[in-house]
Amino acid sequence: ATILWTVGFRAMLSPPVTLLLLLALLAPHHHPRLPPPEAPEGRGRQLVVIVAGLQRLADACHAYQIVHKNGIPEEQIVVMMYDDLANNEKLHRRFTPENFLAVLKGDSSGTKGGSGKVLKSGPKDHVFVYFTDHGAPGILAFPNDEACESGSMMTDLPEDIDVYATTASNSHESSYACYYDEDRETYLGDWYSVNWMEDSDVEDLTKETLAKQYKIVKKHTNTSHVQQFGNKTLAHMKVMAFQGNSMAGAAPAPPMTLRPVAHPDLTPSPDVPLAILKRKMMATNSLQASRGILMEINTHLKIREVLADTMHQVVQKVTGDEMRTQVLLNARTELTQHACYKAAVHHYKTACFNWHKMEYEYAMRHLYALVNLCEGGYATDRILQAMDSACY
């Protein structure tokens, strides 16, 4: 199968790390009980996987509408969405790394809960995967878990395989939220995601190439450095080959005309919770409500301060030197020591701050310091002991 990845993330992330793991699992392999169905006349099919985490439902729904209106039938689209507003434990248990990987491998027996719908691709199929959630260096974060990677960096992704990927930012940046909705009191989109989807809305996808869309999206996404990886020769293929049902002869939806948005409300994704509180403060005329919101803001800022101070203590206890500590707290090192980092991240989440709790989500912004410690040659046990001392 020929694979196109489009990825937007909510927080500081190392896209290369996570994506390579997932792509490695997309080798030509099918579950023995799930042979891929043949398309008419031996032609391939367009298959789509859409995955959206916390506060990304609008982006996921928009992506679904694009591929569906361009002729891809529902049975060829797999959607995984986490509704953080729904109090549905079964629904939340389905949104896991294990289920996501089972979907990609075509292993319906490996899914837990849900319909068991998986990606059953064949060698002639085109697969479009859109993933939008949050993360950190070496981590693809799901709402209650994460998938860690132990292989090569995305920059080493071979160029001679049929995989082409684009990401919202480089490994040291966050994506930006956009389109604040006053009624819903939340941001509706991710700037990179909105840009590729709005481009798909207005362009003739039978003429526009992936390369052209990449250049347009990269230019419009002026808040981060949009990246591309893998087999770049695939970028000369038409967008319709992945976002439409062209193999079955479906015509693309007519291009739309979108009204320009003067103020897209661009906000760094890690700062979204604080930005929402500030907007609520500005919108209310109630003194009592203002006091309550102000208390939330102060609590949020205090937690940020505690998170930063705790990581400072961890690094200082490991190095035993304040000057070296400052260097490690300000560096951005590429991750290669995966075993050390995976152990450190797991221990930090369990012994210090679990970023899957909303109040501690900002803790992910400090995980780069653990990368620096591992890359600095410090023993894993020493790092874990420092956490035990700083966090208890």
Side-chain angles (χ1 to χ4, degrees):
T2 302
I3 303 166
L4 170 65
W5 281 81
T6 300
V7 187
F9 288 98
R10 251 190 99 219
M12 180 178 164
L13 167 71
S14 181
V17 173
T18 303
L19 285 180
L20 186 54
L21 166 70
L22 301 180
L23 294 173
L25 292 171
L26 283 170
H29 155 268
H30 300 287
H31 197 275
R33 290 173 293 176
L34 296 171
E38 288 294 326
E41 302 178 5
R43 294 176 297 184
R45 301 166 301 150
Q46 275 96 352
L47 304 172
V48 178
V49 179
I50 299 172
V51 185
L54 292 167
Q55 301 175 8
R56 284 295 178 264
L57 301 185
D59 283 338
C61 292
H62 191 175
Y64 178 89
Q65 291 300 324
I66 288 173
V67 298
H68 194 57
K69 75 179 182 181
N70 283 311
I72 298 182
E74 183 179 350
E75 59 268 21
Q76 291 173 211
I77 305 173
V78 180
V79 179
M80 295 179 65
M81 296 196 303
Y82 183 94
D83 187 352
D84 53 326
L85 298 179
N87 185 21
N88 188 327
E89 185 178 353
K90 290 183 179 180
L91 174 63
H92 296 173
R93 284 203 303 266
R94 297 172 196 165
F95 197 87
T96 65
E98 293 76 19
N99 277 356
F100 180 43
L101 297 181
V103 166
L104 296 178
K105 291 187 291 183
D107 181 10
S108 59
S109 65
T111 61
K112 307 298 182 184
S115 64
K117 191 176 182 181
V118 297
L119 182 69
K120 295 179 285 187
S121 60
K124 297 181 181 180
D125 294 337
H126 291 169
V127 181
F128 174 43
V129 180
Y130 170 53
F131 190 107
T132 177
D133 206 333
H134 60 302
I139 292 177
L140 181 64
F142 284 71
N144 296 307
D145 201 353
E146 50 269 331
C148 295
E149 200 280 324
S150 60
S152 302
M153 301 297 290
M154 184 66 139
T155 51
D156 296 325
L157 180 64
E159 297 184 359
D160 58 351
I161 61 175
D162 289 340
V163 177
Y164 174 65
T166 67
T167 59
S169 62
N170 63 31
S171 60
H172 305 304
E173 301 172 322
S174 68
S175 62
Y176 274 61
C178 63
Y179 296 167
Y180 184 78
D181 187 296
E182 297 285 351
D183 295 329
R184 296 173 177 84
E185 297 183 330
T186 190
Y187 290 84
L188 298 180
D190 163 84
W191 189 226
Y192 159 82
S193 297
V194 164
N195 284 331
W196 79 254
M197 288 187 282
E198 291 189 350
D199 179 74
S200 292
D201 282 333
V202 303
E203 292 281 351
D204 182 344
L205 302 188
T206 62
K207 297 179 180 180
E208 184 181 45
T209 64
L210 296 172
K212 180 182 176 183
Q213 183 169 85
Y214 169 75
K215 291 178 181 178
I216 291 173
V217 173
K218 184 175 183 179
K219 180 180 179 181
H220 289 175
T221 310
N222 54 2
T223 53
S224 60
H225 294 81
V226 175
Q227 305 287 298
Q228 61 177 341
F229 303 96
N231 188 345
K232 298 181 180 64
T233 61
L234 298 179
H236 297 295
M237 297 177 68
K238 299 297 190 289
V239 176
M240 188 66 178
F242 294 94
Q243 296 180 23
N245 203 21
S246 57
M247 290 184 184
M256 300 170 58
T257 300
L258 301 178
R259 293 181 298 175
V261 178
H263 303 289
D265 308 316
L266 298 178
T267 304
S269 292
D271 295 331
V272 163
L274 182 60
I276 290 176
L277 288 174
K278 290 180 177 179
R279 286 180 174 273
K280 288 181 179 179
M281 172 73 83
M282 295 174 61
T284 185
N285 293 318
S286 168
L287 180 59
Q288 183 177 359
S290 296
R291 288 173 177 170
I293 296 171
L294 184 59
M295 288 180 62
E296 290 187 68
I297 291 175
N298 289 336
T299 299
H300 182 86
L301 293 175
K302 180 61 178 178
I303 290 175
R304 280 197 186 189
E305 183 181 331
V306 170
L307 294 172
D309 181 65
T310 301
M311 187 58 78
H312 182 279
Q313 290 185 51
V314 170
V315 177
Q316 203 280 331
K317 290 176 183 295
V318 172
T319 64
D321 180 82
E322 181 60 28
M323 185 174 295
R324 179 62 178 160
T325 295
Q326 290 301 324
V327 170
L328 293 178
L329 289 175
N330 288 283
R332 294 293 189 275
T333 310
E334 296 296 339
L335 176 62
T336 63
Q337 301 300 313
H338 297 280
C340 168
Y341 179 67
K342 183 176 182 179
V345 166
H346 176 74
H347 199 69
Y348 185 76
K349 187 177 74 170
T350 56
C352 298
F353 302 102
N354 182 354
W355 49 83
H356 294 299
K357 295 182 178 180
M358 188 170 295
E359 63 266 31
Y360 296 137
E361 187 178 330
Y362 202 82
M364 300 189 76
R365 294 289 290 173
H366 297 284
L367 296 184
Y368 71 89
L370 301 182
V371 175
N372 296 337
L373 286 174
C374 290
E375 296 299 325
Y378 296 99
T380 303
D381 288 345
R382 187 173 177 178
I383 298 173
L384 305 190
Q385 289 170 8
M387 293 181 195
D388 290 338
S389 176
C391 299
Y392 284 108

